[in-house]
Amino acid sequence: MTQYKSDFLNILTERGFIHQCSDFEGLDAKLAEGPQSAYIGFDATAQSLHVGNLTGIMMLYWFQQCGHKPITLMGGGTSKIGDPSFKDEQRKLLDDATIEENIRHIQATCFKQFLTYGDGQSDALMVNNNDWLDGLHYLSFLRDYGRHFTVNRMLSFDSVKTRLERESPLSLLEFNYMVMQGYDFVELHRRHGTILQMGGSDQWGNIINGVDLGHKTDRAQLFALTAPLLTTPDGRKMGKTENGAVWLNADMLSPYDYYQYWRNVDDVMVGTLLRRFTVLPMDEVKKLEALEGQEINEAKKILAFEATKMCHGEQAATEAQNTAQKVFEQGGVGDDLPTITIEESRLQAGISVIDLFVETGLCSSKGEAARLIKGGGARVNDEKINDNVQINFPFQNDIGYVKLSAGKKKHALVKAI
């Protein structure tokens, strides 16, 4: 915690976090001077962050571990606009009350396992850009800051070019997003001496705007650092599944389901994910990523446990691990398995298993459930079914539940009340 030179950048380099840096040597020298502050912005468009935000959170984690001060910037102001980067259409506009409620939930559930907040020199700080954006006077802001942005350059950024090339509308409201984000950097430098903004590679243009604006308005030496975006082998962004986002809030996605997400990643991703989303020593990571064949499953279990421990704590990780072991290795039912309850009266009349696959969330539609059954991937109490059977109460197995399985890795319970 007392040596600053290269520690942070060495860690990020070794663990695969660095894609672009505006001035690597200059940033390294600045970090060597002593504790600095850096920030990453997070939009408040939902009541939780998701796995796609984890790269940024882990960058802030390592920044703090090296003795520096991380700042989590909540986009209370910019969430009213919506980041247009690589989106095909304008995001739904949120009202102030919804944004404030989202921030409250995110603050309570998504950062505190990773970062230590407080009043100390290297303690994390959370700020809300609505504190300064909401009070701006439009004409004054355009005169003082808008003159430093050229439309020519803004149109050259990939995030904007992609939208225009697809002939998707880009509103003036959204076009202002990068101006607002650039101004955030200037405000944080003035308020907290912040010298570094980090983010995903898709944010490079927005971050560079802030670096340039700080230089033009305050002659400030600011830095930009981005990480490569993680995609699955089929090209999807990490954190997106058929059932939606992989949320960090346990109320929106159980620790067991979170564990299972990591347990089921593609084999070729294991080494990268161990580097990014665990704090295991690199010697151990290298040993695990070198495993081949069936042994890679042991590496996946360690990845799932360590990633879940980082997000939800060791107890939740242990419970998820135990549940997975009961379900998959012992053929039983774990305490943490996703469960729905249905009134006895409704079950006595009989419910089709297709409806239950949808209600448990194992399938997103009746059509998907029907295809699952036809393809031989549906099981009831570990027995394969070939048609749309009826589930009645009392249950035939006399153990108080029905276990549904979609393939080998997705399970849920149905209980009667």
Side-chain angles (χ1 to χ4, degrees):
M1 300 285 282
T2 58
Q3 295 181 355
Y4 300 102
K5 188 170 184 179
S6 296
D7 283 0
F8 175 63
L9 294 179
N10 279 344
I11 289 171
L12 260 59
T13 299
E14 189 173 33
R15 290 183 174 268
F17 282 100
I18 295 181
H19 179 68
Q20 293 166 295
C21 183
S22 59
D23 180 0
F24 195 93
E25 292 184 0
L27 175 58
D28 189 48
K30 191 68 177 178
L31 295 176
E33 295 177 4
Q36 305 293 335
S37 75
Y39 84 99
I40 295 178
F42 300 90
D43 277 337
T45 52
Q47 292 191 356
S48 175
L49 301 179
H50 52 76
V51 164
N53 301 117
L54 262 188
T55 291
I57 295 174
M58 290 303 297
M59 293 170 82
L60 292 175
Y61 168 85
W62 288 116
F63 194 71
Q64 185 171 47
Q65 293 303 305
C66 292
H68 302 291
K69 188 179 191 70
I71 296 177
T72 47
L73 171 68
M74 296 310 304
T78 43
S79 293
K80 298 176 184 178
I81 299 174
D83 184 0
S85 298
F86 301 101
K87 303 292 188 300
D88 285 330
E89 58 185 22
Q90 182 173 319
R91 285 180 172 174
K92 179 182 178 181
L93 297 181
L94 304 177
D95 58 44
D96 290 359
T98 300
I99 292 172
E100 289 175 8
E101 183 70 3
N102 288 347
I103 291 175
R104 186 179 69 81
H105 281 277
I106 291 170
Q107 184 174 4
T109 61
C110 298
F111 290 118
K112 292 182 179 179
Q113 290 283 358
F114 299 89
L115 302 172
T116 301
Y117 288 84
D119 299 323
Q121 181 174 256
S122 62
D123 285 339
L125 174 69
M126 179 174 286
V127 297
N128 184 341
N129 65 10
N130 194 59
D131 291 346
W132 54 81
L133 293 180
D134 197 50
L136 291 176
H137 295 285
Y138 188 61
L139 290 179
S140 298
F141 181 77
L142 286 179
R143 181 191 62 207
D144 295 338
Y145 299 99
R147 60 192 176 92
H148 296 299
F149 293 83
T150 66
V151 173
N152 311 62
R153 186 163 187 243
M154 293 165 77
L155 289 173
S156 72
F157 291 128
D158 288 340
S159 58
V160 175
K161 282 200 302 183
T162 302
R163 184 82 164 261
L164 297 179
E165 286 170 0
R166 293 173 179 170
E167 298 184 354
S168 300
L170 181 67
S171 70
L172 178 61
L173 178 68
E174 294 173 287
F175 202 55
N176 271 277
Y177 185 93
M178 63 180 72
V179 180
M180 299 292 102
Q181 186 171 332
Y183 181 69
D184 284 344
F185 204 168
V186 173
E187 276 290 337
L188 287 175
H189 177 70
R190 291 172 180 173
R191 292 172 181 235
H192 304 290
T194 304
I195 56 100
L196 172 63
Q197 182 182 176
M198 300 184 289
S201 57
D202 59 339
Q203 292 296 313
W204 177 252
N206 291 339
I207 297 174
I208 284 295
N209 274 333
V211 172
D212 292 344
L213 184 62
H215 176 73
K216 291 173 181 176
T217 59
D218 295 12
R219 308 304 297 173
Q221 184 185 26
L222 305 179
F223 302 92
L225 180 66
T226 64
L229 295 180
L230 279 181
T231 57
T232 59
D234 61 2
R236 292 180 300 167
K237 280 188 177 182
M238 280 291 296
K240 300 290 186 181
T241 70
E242 293 177 0
N243 296 322
V246 181
W247 302 109
L248 306 187
N249 184 339
D251 293 334
M252 297 173 66
L253 185 77
S254 73
Y256 171 78
D257 286 329
Y258 189 82
Y259 177 97
Q260 285 300 117
Y261 171 76
W262 298 105
R263 175 65 181 84
N264 294 324
V265 297
D266 195 281
D267 291 359
V268 299
M269 298 290 295
V270 173
T272 299
L273 301 179
L274 283 166
R275 290 167 184 263
R276 287 266 192 114
F277 303 125
T278 79
V279 295
L280 293 173
M282 284 303 300
D283 287 346
E284 186 173 349
V285 170
K286 290 174 182 177
K287 290 178 183 178
L288 291 170
E289 67 183 357
L291 297 176
E292 298 178 349
Q294 287 299 314
E295 289 185 336
I296 198 69
N297 285 316
E298 296 306 311
K300 288 185 180 182
K301 292 176 186 177
I302 293 172
L303 166 65
F305 179 83
E306 295 294 330
T308 305
K309 182 173 75 171
M310 285 292 292
C311 186
H312 297 296
E314 188 165 5
Q315 181 178 344
T318 301
E319 291 172 355
Q321 185 182 59
N322 291 341
T323 294
Q325 186 176 13
K326 289 179 183 178
V327 172
F328 298 108
E329 297 177 16
Q330 301 172 7
V333 174
D335 297 332
D336 209 17
L337 208 61
T339 302
I340 66 167
T341 55
I342 296 178
E343 295 84 354
E344 284 185 13
S345 58
R346 185 178 169 211
L347 282 164
Q348 286 170 350
I351 301 178
S352 74
V353 75
I354 282 182
D355 287 338
L356 290 179
F357 269 104
V358 175
E359 291 186 38
T360 56
L362 292 175
C363 294
S364 60
S365 67
K366 292 184 178 182
E368 181 183 338
R371 289 190 294 273
L372 178 72
I373 294 171
K374 185 177 181 180
R379 293 177 181 269
V380 175
N381 295 329
D382 297 319
E383 296 291 331
K384 185 185 293 187
I385 58 172
N386 299 312
D387 54 27
N388 184 20
V389 300
Q390 292 283 109
I391 302 298
N392 298 87
F393 187 84
F395 298 135
Q396 293 180 353
N397 54 14
D398 252 355
I399 54 177
Y401 63 80
V402 171
K403 177 184 175 184
L404 303 181
S405 302
K408 296 180 180 179
K409 298 179 179 180
K410 294 170 64 179
H411 309 272
L413 303 183
V414 178
K415 294 184 177 181
I417 57 171

